[in-house]
Amino acid sequence: NAGVMQNPRHLVRRRGQEARLRCSPMKGHSHVYWYRQLPEEGLKFMVYLQKENIIDESGMPKERFSAEFPKEGPSILRIQQVVRGDSAAYFCASSPWTSGGASSYEQYFGPGTRLTVT
Amino acid sequence: GENVEQHPSTLSVQEGDSAVIKCTYSDSASNYFPWYKQELGKGPQLIIDIRSNVGEKKDQRIAVTLNKTAKHFSLHITETQPEDSAVYFCADITGGFKTIFGAGTRLFVKA
């Protein structure tokens, strides 16, 4: 059973370009979370999605950032018009359904995408 | 808002000694407390967790304790080995899904 997959692992963008980060959850997992990690810091929650639904995006910047988790295919975190301050590691995590329909507490992380904005 | 404080930020121990990392949280509604290990260039890996109805949990050389009254929880690693060297993060879960991470502890185990 493959773990959480993220690609690309490294992404370099010039200021003003768009960055698209992809996340494929573990098989059987329906819940996806995105986190951002700045150097020497902990992870900061950005957004929580289920298939075709954004459940909580309270950690997402209001502008330039968007996320989706379509019925088919990976979850996408999209950053438009990137700036140098967007340089960070972006991690995706997934968790399974519980019998009550809520997300299981255990979250399993992917290897991350390291975004560098030049 | 929710906050998790983690200490120390850096910890250096001799191989075979024990290491203890401590965290405090602010949200009294939190009921799940995972610990993650992150090696250089990799994603966080869940190593142990504890729920609020349990005071202590052990898995081989790793143990976690929880004091809900004081809002403290700690990670204990015994008989440390060089491969334990990594950054360790405590976290708590609020609202059933929102993970709040501590700032991390960089553990060095000297051979």
Side-chain angles (χ1 to χ4, degrees):
Chain A
N1 184 14
V4 177
M5 310 283 283
Q6 287 187 252
N7 68 81
R9 294 293 309 277
H10 300 274
L11 183 61
V12 180
R13 284 287 177 265
R14 283 196 288 270
R15 278 181 299 167
Q17 291 185 319
E18 178 179 288
R20 278 182 172 246
L21 287 62
R22 294 174 188 76
C23 169
S24 296
M26 286 179 71
K27 188 176 179 181
H29 286 194
S30 308
H31 303 253
V32 167
Y33 315 80
W34 285 93
Y35 295 85
R36 176 162 64 177
Q37 185 177 36
L38 295 172
E40 306 298 320
E41 292 188 12
L43 286 79
K44 304 294 185 195
F45 169 83
M46 297 180 75
V47 62
Y48 164 41
L49 309 106
Q50 296 175 19
K51 287 278 187 184
E52 300 183 281
N53 277 309
I54 296 174
I55 307 303
D56 186 300
E57 55 182 347
S58 58
M60 287 264 277
K62 293 287 183 274
E63 297 177 353
R64 302 188 298 108
F65 285 71
S66 62
E68 62 177 10
F69 188 17
K71 189 176 179 181
E72 302 289 339
S75 175
I76 307 285
L77 179 68
R78 182 181 178 207
I79 311 172
Q80 295 178 289
Q81 299 174 316
V82 296
V83 300
R84 287 219 173 98
D86 297 332
S87 296
Y90 292 84
F91 290 95
C92 164
S94 71
S95 64
W97 286 98
T98 62
S99 58
S103 169
S104 166
Y105 288 143
E106 293 86 1
Q107 296 182 16
Y108 298 89
F109 282 81
T113 294
R114 277 147 188 85
L115 172 65
T116 302
V117 179
T118 61
Chain B
E2 306 94 353
N3 188 42
V4 176
E5 304 250 348
Q6 182 171 347
H7 300 280
S9 57
T10 305
L11 179 59
S12 185
V13 300
Q14 204 68 37
E15 182 179 2
D17 288 350
S18 295
V20 180
I21 302 170
K22 299 182 179 181
C23 289
T24 60
Y25 62 97
S26 59
D27 187 353
S28 55
S30 298
N31 55 6
Y32 174 70
F33 306 91
W35 284 89
Y36 290 90
K37 175 184 181 181
Q38 187 176 28
E39 295 174 313
L40 193 62
K42 297 185 178 180
Q45 178 190 6
L46 179 67
I47 56 171
I48 196 167
D49 55 17
I50 192 166
R51 296 176 190 261
S52 59
N53 57 350
V54 175
E56 184 174 356
K57 183 176 177 181
K58 191 172 181 182
D59 182 4
Q60 300 183 342
R61 296 186 297 109
I62 295 173
V64 56
T65 59
L66 172 64
N67 182 332
K68 279 219 80 177
T69 303
K71 296 183 186 172
H72 290 171
F73 58 115
S74 300
L75 178 72
H76 304 252
I77 306 173
T78 58
E79 300 171 29
T80 53
Q81 301 167 2
E83 51 266 38
D84 294 330
S85 297
V87 180
Y88 291 81
F89 293 97
C90 62
D92 78 349
I93 302 275
T94 63
F97 62 86
K98 192 169 181 178
T99 306
I100 308 297
F101 283 85
T105 296
R106 190 171 297 275
L107 175 64
F108 297 96
V109 180
K110 295 176 285 187

Short mmCIF file of all heavy atoms in Angstrom, two decimals, chain B residues 1-55:
data_model
loop_
_atom_site.label_atom_id
_atom_site.label_comp_id
_atom_site.label_asym_id
_atom_site.label_seq_id
_atom_site.Cartn_x
_atom_site.Cartn_y
_atom_site.Cartn_z
N GLY B 1 -6.12 32.15 20.46
CA GLY B 1 -6.34 30.97 19.65
C GLY B 1 -5.59 29.79 20.19
O GLY B 1 -4.92 29.87 21.22
N GLU B 2 -5.66 28.66 19.48
CA GLU B 2 -4.98 27.46 19.95
C GLU B 2 -3.47 27.65 19.85
O GLU B 2 -2.97 28.29 18.94
CB GLU B 2 -5.40 26.25 19.10
CG GLU B 2 -6.90 26.04 19.00
CD GLU B 2 -7.49 26.70 17.78
OE1 GLU B 2 -6.77 27.44 17.09
OE2 GLU B 2 -8.68 26.49 17.51
N ASN B 3 -2.75 27.06 20.82
CA ASN B 3 -1.32 27.21 20.84
C ASN B 3 -0.70 25.98 21.47
O ASN B 3 -1.24 25.43 22.43
CB ASN B 3 -0.95 28.47 21.64
CG ASN B 3 0.51 28.79 21.53
OD1 ASN B 3 1.10 28.70 20.47
ND2 ASN B 3 1.12 29.17 22.64
N VAL B 4 0.43 25.52 20.92
CA VAL B 4 1.18 24.43 21.51
C VAL B 4 2.62 24.90 21.71
O VAL B 4 3.27 25.31 20.74
CB VAL B 4 1.15 23.17 20.61
CG1 VAL B 4 2.04 22.08 21.20
CG2 VAL B 4 -0.27 22.67 20.44
N GLU B 5 3.08 24.86 22.94
CA GLU B 5 4.45 25.26 23.26
C GLU B 5 5.29 24.01 23.45
O GLU B 5 4.86 23.08 24.14
CB GLU B 5 4.47 26.08 24.55
CG GLU B 5 3.58 27.30 24.52
CD GLU B 5 4.38 28.59 24.47
OE1 GLU B 5 5.60 28.53 24.69
OE2 GLU B 5 3.79 29.63 24.19
N GLN B 6 6.48 24.01 22.89
CA GLN B 6 7.34 22.82 22.94
C GLN B 6 8.72 23.21 23.44
O GLN B 6 9.29 24.21 22.99
CB GLN B 6 7.43 22.20 21.54
CG GLN B 6 8.24 20.94 21.47
CD GLN B 6 8.14 20.23 20.12
OE1 GLN B 6 7.29 20.55 19.31
NE2 GLN B 6 9.01 19.27 19.90
N HIS B 7 9.29 22.39 24.36
CA HIS B 7 10.61 22.63 24.92
C HIS B 7 11.35 21.30 25.14
O HIS B 7 10.70 20.30 25.47
CB HIS B 7 10.48 23.34 26.27
CG HIS B 7 9.79 24.66 26.19
ND1 HIS B 7 10.42 25.80 25.78
CD2 HIS B 7 8.50 24.99 26.43
CE1 HIS B 7 9.54 26.79 25.79
NE2 HIS B 7 8.38 26.33 26.18
N PRO B 8 12.67 21.28 24.99
CA PRO B 8 13.51 22.38 24.53
C PRO B 8 13.50 22.47 23.01
O PRO B 8 12.97 21.59 22.34
CB PRO B 8 14.88 21.98 25.05
CG PRO B 8 14.87 20.49 24.97
CD PRO B 8 13.46 20.06 25.29
N SER B 9 14.11 23.48 22.46
CA SER B 9 14.19 23.60 21.01
C SER B 9 15.32 22.73 20.47
O SER B 9 15.27 22.28 19.32
CB SER B 9 14.40 25.06 20.59
OG SER B 9 15.55 25.59 21.21
N THR B 10 16.33 22.51 21.29
CA THR B 10 17.45 21.65 20.91
C THR B 10 17.80 20.78 22.11
O THR B 10 17.79 21.25 23.25
CB THR B 10 18.69 22.49 20.52
OG1 THR B 10 18.31 23.40 19.48
CG2 THR B 10 19.81 21.61 20.00
N LEU B 11 18.12 19.52 21.84
CA LEU B 11 18.46 18.59 22.90
C LEU B 11 19.57 17.68 22.42
O LEU B 11 19.45 17.05 21.36
CB LEU B 11 17.22 17.77 23.28
CG LEU B 11 17.36 16.72 24.37
CD1 LEU B 11 17.82 17.33 25.68
CD2 LEU B 11 16.03 15.98 24.58
N SER B 12 20.64 17.63 23.18
CA SER B 12 21.78 16.78 22.82
C SER B 12 22.00 15.77 23.94
O SER B 12 22.12 16.16 25.11
CB SER B 12 23.03 17.65 22.62
OG SER B 12 24.10 16.89 22.16
N VAL B 13 22.03 14.49 23.60
CA VAL B 13 22.22 13.44 24.60
C VAL B 13 23.27 12.46 24.10
O VAL B 13 23.55 12.37 22.90
CB VAL B 13 20.91 12.68 24.90
CG1 VAL B 13 19.85 13.63 25.44
CG2 VAL B 13 20.40 11.94 23.68
N GLN B 14 23.84 11.72 25.04
CA GLN B 14 24.79 10.67 24.72
C GLN B 14 24.02 9.40 24.38
O GLN B 14 22.96 9.12 24.97
CB GLN B 14 25.70 10.43 25.92
CG GLN B 14 27.05 9.82 25.60
CD GLN B 14 27.95 10.77 24.83
OE1 GLN B 14 27.97 11.97 25.05
NE2 GLN B 14 28.70 10.21 23.89
N GLU B 15 24.53 8.66 23.43
CA GLU B 15 23.89 7.40 23.06
C GLU B 15 23.65 6.54 24.31
O GLU B 15 24.53 6.39 25.15
CB GLU B 15 24.76 6.64 22.07
CG GLU B 15 24.16 5.33 21.58
CD GLU B 15 25.07 4.61 20.58
OE1 GLU B 15 26.18 5.11 20.29
OE2 GLU B 15 24.66 3.55 20.09
N GLY B 16 22.44 6.02 24.42
CA GLY B 16 22.09 5.20 25.57
C GLY B 16 21.36 5.95 26.67
O GLY B 16 20.68 5.33 27.49
N ASP B 17 21.49 7.29 26.67
CA ASP B 17 20.77 8.09 27.65
C ASP B 17 19.32 8.26 27.22
O ASP B 17 18.92 7.89 26.11
CB ASP B 17 21.41 9.47 27.80
CG ASP B 17 22.75 9.41 28.53
OD1 ASP B 17 23.07 8.32 29.09
OD2 ASP B 17 23.47 10.42 28.54
N SER B 18 18.53 8.83 28.12
CA SER B 18 17.12 9.11 27.81
C SER B 18 16.96 10.55 27.34
O SER B 18 17.75 11.43 27.68
CB SER B 18 16.25 8.88 29.05
OG SER B 18 16.25 7.53 29.42
N ALA B 19 15.91 10.77 26.56
CA ALA B 19 15.57 12.12 26.09
C ALA B 19 14.11 12.39 26.42
O ALA B 19 13.26 11.51 26.25
CB ALA B 19 15.80 12.24 24.59
N VAL B 20 13.84 13.59 26.91
CA VAL B 20 12.47 13.98 27.25
C VAL B 20 12.15 15.31 26.58
O VAL B 20 12.91 16.27 26.69
CB VAL B 20 12.28 14.11 28.78
CG1 VAL B 20 10.84 14.52 29.08
CG2 VAL B 20 12.64 12.81 29.48
N ILE B 21 11.02 15.35 25.92
CA ILE B 21 10.55 16.57 25.26
C ILE B 21 9.17 16.89 25.82
O ILE B 21 8.32 15.98 25.93
CB ILE B 21 10.49 16.39 23.73
CG1 ILE B 21 11.86 15.99 23.18
CG2 ILE B 21 9.99 17.67 23.06
CD1 ILE B 21 11.84 15.56 21.72
N LYS B 22 8.96 18.16 26.16
CA LYS B 22 7.72 18.53 26.84
C LYS B 22 6.90 19.54 26.02
O LYS B 22 7.47 20.42 25.36
CB LYS B 22 8.03 19.12 28.21
CG LYS B 22 8.75 18.15 29.13
CD LYS B 22 9.01 18.74 30.50
CE LYS B 22 9.70 17.71 31.39
NZ LYS B 22 9.95 18.23 32.75
N CYS B 23 5.59 19.38 26.10
CA CYS B 23 4.69 20.30 25.40
C CYS B 23 3.53 20.70 26.30
O CYS B 23 3.11 19.91 27.17
CB CYS B 23 4.15 19.66 24.13
SG CYS B 23 5.39 19.51 22.84
N THR B 24 3.05 21.90 26.10
CA THR B 24 1.84 22.35 26.75
C THR B 24 0.88 22.85 25.69
O THR B 24 1.30 23.35 24.64
CB THR B 24 2.11 23.47 27.77
OG1 THR B 24 2.68 24.59 27.07
CG2 THR B 24 3.06 23.03 28.85
N TYR B 25 -0.40 22.72 25.95
CA TYR B 25 -1.41 23.15 24.99
C TYR B 25 -2.42 24.05 25.69
O TYR B 25 -2.49 24.09 26.92
CB TYR B 25 -2.09 21.95 24.33
CG TYR B 25 -2.84 21.04 25.27
CD1 TYR B 25 -4.22 21.15 25.45
CD2 TYR B 25 -2.18 20.04 25.99
CE1 TYR B 25 -4.91 20.32 26.31
CE2 TYR B 25 -2.86 19.20 26.84
CZ TYR B 25 -4.22 19.34 27.00
OH TYR B 25 -4.90 18.52 27.86
N SER B 26 -3.19 24.77 24.90
CA SER B 26 -4.08 25.76 25.49
C SER B 26 -5.56 25.41 25.37
O SER B 26 -6.38 25.87 26.18
CB SER B 26 -3.85 27.13 24.85
OG SER B 26 -4.08 27.06 23.44
N ASP B 27 -5.92 24.59 24.37
CA ASP B 27 -7.33 24.31 24.13
C ASP B 27 -7.80 23.14 24.98
O ASP B 27 -7.41 21.99 24.74
CB ASP B 27 -7.54 23.99 22.65
CG ASP B 27 -9.01 23.86 22.27
OD1 ASP B 27 -9.87 23.88 23.18
OD2 ASP B 27 -9.29 23.72 21.08
N SER B 28 -8.64 23.41 25.96
CA SER B 28 -9.10 22.36 26.87
C SER B 28 -9.96 21.32 26.16
O SER B 28 -10.20 20.24 26.68
CB SER B 28 -9.87 22.97 28.05
OG SER B 28 -10.92 23.77 27.56
N ALA B 29 -10.42 21.62 24.95
CA ALA B 29 -11.23 20.66 24.19
C ALA B 29 -10.37 19.66 23.42
O ALA B 29 -10.90 18.69 22.86
CB ALA B 29 -12.14 21.40 23.22
N SER B 30 -9.06 19.88 23.37
CA SER B 30 -8.18 18.96 22.64
C SER B 30 -8.24 17.58 23.27
O SER B 30 -8.24 17.45 24.50
CB SER B 30 -6.74 19.47 22.68
OG SER B 30 -6.63 20.72 22.04
N ASN B 31 -8.28 16.55 22.43
CA ASN B 31 -8.37 15.20 22.99
C ASN B 31 -7.51 14.17 22.27
O ASN B 31 -7.63 12.97 22.50
CB ASN B 31 -9.83 14.73 23.00
CG ASN B 31 -10.46 14.81 21.62
OD1 ASN B 31 -9.78 15.10 20.63
ND2 ASN B 31 -11.75 14.56 21.55
N TYR B 32 -6.63 14.64 21.39
CA TYR B 32 -5.74 13.73 20.70
C TYR B 32 -4.39 14.41 20.52
O TYR B 32 -4.33 15.55 20.05
CB TYR B 32 -6.34 13.35 19.33
CG TYR B 32 -5.43 12.52 18.46
CD1 TYR B 32 -5.15 11.19 18.78
CD2 TYR B 32 -4.86 13.04 17.32
CE1 TYR B 32 -4.33 10.42 17.99
CE2 TYR B 32 -4.03 12.28 16.52
CZ TYR B 32 -3.77 10.97 16.86
OH TYR B 32 -2.95 10.21 16.07
N PHE B 33 -3.32 13.69 20.89
CA PHE B 33 -1.99 14.31 20.95
C PHE B 33 -0.97 13.41 20.27
O PHE B 33 -0.45 12.47 20.87
CB PHE B 33 -1.60 14.57 22.41
CG PHE B 33 -2.64 15.36 23.16
CD1 PHE B 33 -3.65 14.71 23.85
CD2 PHE B 33 -2.62 16.74 23.14
CE1 PHE B 33 -4.63 15.43 24.52
CE2 PHE B 33 -3.60 17.48 23.80
CZ PHE B 33 -4.60 16.82 24.50
N PRO B 34 -0.66 13.69 19.01
CA PRO B 34 0.34 12.87 18.30
C PRO B 34 1.74 13.45 18.42
O PRO B 34 1.90 14.65 18.68
CB PRO B 34 -0.14 12.95 16.84
CG PRO B 34 -0.80 14.29 16.75
CD PRO B 34 -1.36 14.60 18.12
N TRP B 35 2.72 12.59 18.23
CA TRP B 35 4.11 13.01 18.14
C TRP B 35 4.65 12.57 16.78
O TRP B 35 4.41 11.43 16.35
CB TRP B 35 4.95 12.38 19.25
CG TRP B 35 4.75 13.02 20.59
CD1 TRP B 35 3.82 12.69 21.53
CD2 TRP B 35 5.50 14.11 21.13
NE1 TRP B 35 3.95 13.51 22.63
CE2 TRP B 35 4.96 14.38 22.42
CE3 TRP B 35 6.58 14.88 20.67
CZ2 TRP B 35 5.47 15.39 23.24
CZ3 TRP B 35 7.07 15.87 21.49
CH2 TRP B 35 6.53 16.13 22.76
N TYR B 36 5.40 13.48 16.14
CA TYR B 36 5.95 13.18 14.83
C TYR B 36 7.46 13.31 14.87
O TYR B 36 8.03 14.16 15.57
CB TYR B 36 5.40 14.16 13.78
CG TYR B 36 3.94 13.96 13.46
CD1 TYR B 36 2.96 14.64 14.16
CD2 TYR B 36 3.55 13.10 12.44
CE1 TYR B 36 1.61 14.46 13.87
CE2 TYR B 36 2.21 12.91 12.14
CZ TYR B 36 1.25 13.60 12.86
OH TYR B 36 -0.08 13.42 12.57
N LYS B 37 8.11 12.48 14.06
CA LYS B 37 9.55 12.54 13.87
C LYS B 37 9.79 12.97 12.42
O LYS B 37 9.21 12.39 11.49
CB LYS B 37 10.17 11.15 14.12
CG LYS B 37 11.67 11.06 13.84
CD LYS B 37 12.14 9.62 14.03
CE LYS B 37 13.64 9.48 13.80
NZ LYS B 37 14.09 8.06 13.95
N GLN B 38 10.62 13.98 12.23
CA GLN B 38 10.91 14.44 10.87
C GLN B 38 12.41 14.40 10.63
O GLN B 38 13.18 15.09 11.31
CB GLN B 38 10.38 15.85 10.64
CG GLN B 38 10.51 16.30 9.18
CD GLN B 38 9.91 17.66 8.92
OE1 GLN B 38 9.83 18.52 9.79
NE2 GLN B 38 9.46 17.89 7.67
N GLU B 39 12.81 13.59 9.68
CA GLU B 39 14.21 13.53 9.27
C GLU B 39 14.44 14.51 8.13
O GLU B 39 13.50 14.91 7.44
CB GLU B 39 14.58 12.10 8.89
CG GLU B 39 14.49 11.15 10.09
CD GLU B 39 14.70 9.70 9.72
OE1 GLU B 39 14.11 9.23 8.74
OE2 GLU B 39 15.47 9.03 10.42
N LEU B 40 15.69 14.85 7.92
CA LEU B 40 16.04 15.88 6.95
C LEU B 40 15.50 15.53 5.56
O LEU B 40 15.73 14.43 5.06
CB LEU B 40 17.56 16.04 6.90
CG LEU B 40 18.09 17.26 6.17
CD1 LEU B 40 17.62 18.54 6.85
CD2 LEU B 40 19.61 17.21 6.09
N GLY B 41 14.77 16.46 4.98
CA GLY B 41 14.27 16.27 3.63
C GLY B 41 13.06 15.37 3.51
O GLY B 41 12.65 15.02 2.40
N LYS B 42 12.48 14.99 4.64
CA LYS B 42 11.33 14.07 4.60
C LYS B 42 10.12 14.68 5.28
O LYS B 42 10.21 15.69 5.96
CB LYS B 42 11.70 12.75 5.28
CG LYS B 42 12.82 11.99 4.59
CD LYS B 42 13.06 10.64 5.25
CE LYS B 42 14.13 9.86 4.52
NZ LYS B 42 14.38 8.54 5.16
N GLY B 43 8.97 14.03 5.10
CA GLY B 43 7.77 14.46 5.76
C GLY B 43 7.72 13.94 7.19
O GLY B 43 8.43 13.00 7.55
N PRO B 44 6.89 14.53 8.03
CA PRO B 44 6.75 14.05 9.41
C PRO B 44 6.18 12.63 9.44
O PRO B 44 5.29 12.30 8.65
CB PRO B 44 5.75 15.04 10.03
CG PRO B 44 5.75 16.22 9.13
CD PRO B 44 6.05 15.70 7.77
N GLN B 45 6.70 11.84 10.34
CA GLN B 45 6.24 10.46 10.51
C GLN B 45 5.64 10.31 11.89
O GLN B 45 6.31 10.61 12.90
CB GLN B 45 7.42 9.51 10.33
CG GLN B 45 7.06 8.05 10.52
CD GLN B 45 8.29 7.14 10.57
OE1 GLN B 45 9.42 7.61 10.55
NE2 GLN B 45 8.06 5.85 10.62
N LEU B 46 4.41 9.84 11.95
CA LEU B 46 3.75 9.61 13.23
C LEU B 46 4.47 8.49 13.98
O LEU B 46 4.63 7.39 13.45
CB LEU B 46 2.29 9.22 13.00
CG LEU B 46 1.44 8.93 14.23
CD1 LEU B 46 1.21 10.19 15.05
CD2 LEU B 46 0.09 8.34 13.82
N ILE B 47 4.92 8.77 15.21
CA ILE B 47 5.64 7.74 15.96
C ILE B 47 4.86 7.21 17.15
O ILE B 47 5.02 6.06 17.55
CB ILE B 47 7.03 8.23 16.42
CG1 ILE B 47 6.93 9.51 17.25
CG2 ILE B 47 7.95 8.41 15.23
CD1 ILE B 47 8.25 9.92 17.91
N ILE B 48 4.04 8.04 17.74
CA ILE B 48 3.19 7.61 18.85
C ILE B 48 2.13 8.67 19.07
O ILE B 48 2.32 9.84 18.70
CB ILE B 48 4.02 7.37 20.14
CG1 ILE B 48 3.23 6.56 21.17
CG2 ILE B 48 4.53 8.68 20.73
CD1 ILE B 48 4.08 6.03 22.32
N ASP B 49 1.01 8.27 19.64
CA ASP B 49 -0.04 9.24 19.93
C ASP B 49 -0.75 8.83 21.21
O ASP B 49 -0.61 7.70 21.68
CB ASP B 49 -1.04 9.36 18.77
CG ASP B 49 -1.66 8.02 18.36
OD1 ASP B 49 -1.59 7.05 19.15
OD2 ASP B 49 -2.20 7.93 17.25
N ILE B 50 -1.50 9.75 21.79
CA ILE B 50 -2.24 9.45 23.01
C ILE B 50 -3.56 10.21 22.97
O ILE B 50 -3.63 11.32 22.45
CB ILE B 50 -1.40 9.80 24.27
CG1 ILE B 50 -2.05 9.22 25.52
CG2 ILE B 50 -1.18 11.31 24.39
CD1 ILE B 50 -1.12 9.22 26.74
N ARG B 51 -4.58 9.58 23.49
CA ARG B 51 -5.89 10.21 23.57
C ARG B 51 -6.17 10.64 25.00
O ARG B 51 -5.55 10.12 25.94
CB ARG B 51 -6.97 9.26 23.05
CG ARG B 51 -6.76 8.96 21.58
CD ARG B 51 -7.73 7.95 21.01
NE ARG B 51 -7.28 7.58 19.66
CZ ARG B 51 -7.78 8.08 18.55
NH1 ARG B 51 -8.75 8.97 18.60
NH2 ARG B 51 -7.32 7.69 17.38
N SER B 52 -7.12 11.53 25.16
CA SER B 52 -7.29 12.21 26.45
C SER B 52 -7.83 11.30 27.54
O SER B 52 -7.82 11.67 28.70
CB SER B 52 -8.20 13.42 26.29
OG SER B 52 -9.46 13.01 25.79
N ASN B 53 -8.30 10.13 27.18
CA ASN B 53 -8.82 9.22 28.21
C ASN B 53 -7.73 8.28 28.74
O ASN B 53 -8.01 7.35 29.49
CB ASN B 53 -10.00 8.41 27.66
CG ASN B 53 -9.63 7.61 26.42
OD1 ASN B 53 -8.55 7.81 25.85
ND2 ASN B 53 -10.51 6.72 26.01
N VAL B 54 -6.48 8.55 28.33
CA VAL B 54 -5.35 7.70 28.74
C VAL B 54 -4.26 8.60 29.29
O VAL B 54 -4.03 9.70 28.79
CB VAL B 54 -4.81 6.92 27.52
CG1 VAL B 54 -3.55 6.15 27.89
CG2 VAL B 54 -5.87 6.00 26.98
N GLY B 55 -3.58 8.15 30.36
CA GLY B 55 -2.54 8.97 30.96
C GLY B 55 -1.15 8.67 30.45
O GLY B 55 -0.26 9.53 30.49
#
